[in-house]
Amino acid sequence: MTTAAAREAVVVGGGLAGTAAALALADAGVRVTLLEGRPRLGGLAFSFQRGGLTVDNGQHVYLRCCTAYRWFLDRVDGAALAPVQDRLDVPVLDAGRGRLGRLRRNALPVPLHLGPSLARYPHLSLAEKAAVGRAALALRRLDPADPALDRQDFGSWLRRHGQSPRAVAALWDLVGVATLNAVADDASLALAAKVFRTGLLSDAGAADIGWAHVPLGELHHTRALTSLDKAGVRTVLRARVRGVTPGGEGARWQVETGDETLTADTVVLAVPPAETHELLPGGALDEPEKLTRIGTAPIINIHVLYDRKVVRRPFFTALDGPVQWVFDRTEASGLDHGQYLALSQSTAQAEIDTPVADLRARYLPELERLLPAARTARVEDFFVTRERTATFAAVPGVGALRPGPATRLPGLHLAGAWTATGWPATMEGAVRSGLNAASDALGALGRPRPAPVFDEAA
Ligand SMILES: Cc1cc2nc3c(=O)[nH]c(=O)nc-3n(C[C@H](O)[C@H](O)[C@H](O)COP(=O)(O)OP(=O)(O)OC[C@H]3O[C@@H](n4cnc5c(N)ncnc54)[C@H](O)[C@@H]3O)c2cc1C
């Protein structure tokens, strides 16, 4: 018989899902070892050094409704470093017409909170705005958990609800591409409904945007590591797990890295679907091959350093050209002069392999078209970060492929943004999945499940 003191958990993967699971298990009194193959925590959301700069692999934002990620920020003592704007305010620049619009909320309740801003939005006609309002109300009535929605694509639904190509480009895709990493025609209606309902149609402040004002690595690696240490978690970096097997004396599981074999009562696998498929012991899932059918989608970030300030706003988004979302990373990166802009380019299938010189030739003139001050500024550096497997592909049908935290094997649990959280591939989904797996594991260990730290209805 195993005593309470012998309860040991191994968490495999130190992305946000694994880190959250490790913290939650340790907070519940379980002895935890966290194994991460890379030399750092943070998984897909990390920073690296380039000359004197600290660069994020990709701009990350979250919303006020991301209650699990906000729990994580609090838990690693980092909330003040990644504040949420007081009220949603997104500048939208139309490159072709040279017009600036704003998507802003006021203090009124849903759906009136966006009404005046939509009424003034210059990028849509009156008829398009009226149709957007009607579609938003129809979207509000959808249930994102309905499996029938997962089989449909968002683009067809928008067309059926009277949305013009312009309304899709200037509004629905503006938000959808950044949050789903898919254009409406390629996106699951269930995931789109989740994003728009939770973000824009649930609570007035739900879509207020937050982002790290420090390098991501400060939150997801440095502070996370300190919090794990304080919670008593043994974190081992550069520890790539090669095998997870049931059995072993007095313990249910054996976990092998190149350097050691650990025994544990509980294992949480918090690695991407392909790695999960490789490590999963036989019999763990009814249809493990489903994991191999979960596709991926790329994001690239284009980093431009100017010798002077070319834009006043902390971020903006653009229409009618290739530029999507642009963030000022000057202070966060440690740059002491000029301005550093990061262009976050989702759905980057067409550009994931494009040479840097070609991207430079495409994007610098675009930035000059959008930002008059860029026309006379000198570009001091231009580089590109590419994440081929940035997110799981949010395509119709993906919901049926995503497993929950439980497996058929006692003591083995799954986490990762790609598991069945109801959310698209986000930091919120990752942390939720980690907390779900920890809760599942604690229940199986006969420990009380912790009170939910995130809004389960959201
Ligand atoms: C460029 C980019 C931009 C993004 N923008 C946003 C955004 O704005 N907002 C947002 O919410 N989300 C965004 N995302 C998505 C978000 O980063 C991810 O959904 C989230 O970080 C996934 O976390 P995870 O823990 O589920 O998985 P991962 O981050 O993939 O973590 C898995 C970890 O497991 C480790 N691992 C794998 N195999 C093994 C093994 N055998 N042994 C040990 N360790 C192993 C890996 O090294 C990795 O650290 C973005 C992603 C990218 C790449």
Side-chain angles (χ1 to χ4, degrees), residues 91-148:
V92 186
L93 259 174
D94 183 325
R97 301 178 204 182
R99 292 197 71 181
L100 175 71
R102 307 279 281 273
L103 286 172
R104 277 196 274 198
R105 77 163 173 101
N106 55 29
L108 294 172
V110 176
L112 303 176
H113 65 317
L114 289 173
S117 167
L118 184 62
R120 281 194 300 271
Y121 194 54
H123 306 314
L124 296 178
S125 69
L126 260 179
E128 283 166 336
K129 290 176 196 178
V132 162
R134 285 193 298 274
L137 293 178
L139 201 56
R140 219 175 157 195
R141 289 194 293 271
L142 296 181
D143 173 9
D146 177 354

Side-chain angles (χ1 to χ4, degrees), residues 11-20 35-46 56-63 66 69 178-179 181 210 216 220 236 238-243 256-257 269-273 275-276 278-279 297-301 327 344-346 385-392 415-419 423-431 433-434:
V11 178
V12 184
L16 291 171
T19 304
L35 301 172
E36 166 54 49
R38 295 200 178 108
R40 49 156 183 81
L41 299 173
L44 285 165
F46 69 97
D56 288 350
N57 69 315
Q59 176 64 44
H60 278 64
V61 305
Y62 69 99
L63 305 180
C66 294
Y69 183 65
T179 47
N181 198 14
L216 285 174
H220 299 167
V236 191
R238 298 188 177 83
R240 188 150 205 90
V241 169
R242 295 170 176 186
E256 275 175 57
T257 71
L269 272 182
V271 299
E275 283 83 346
T276 303
E278 266 171 41
L279 291 173
I299 298 177
I300 64 171
N301 271 235
F327 281 79
S344 177
Q345 300 291 119
S346 301
T385 46
R386 304 172 199 259
E387 293 289 354
R388 202 170 287 277
T389 60
T391 65
F392 69 80
W418 58 275
T419 58
W423 283 70
T426 49
M427 302 189 287
E428 174 69 9
V431 174
S433 76

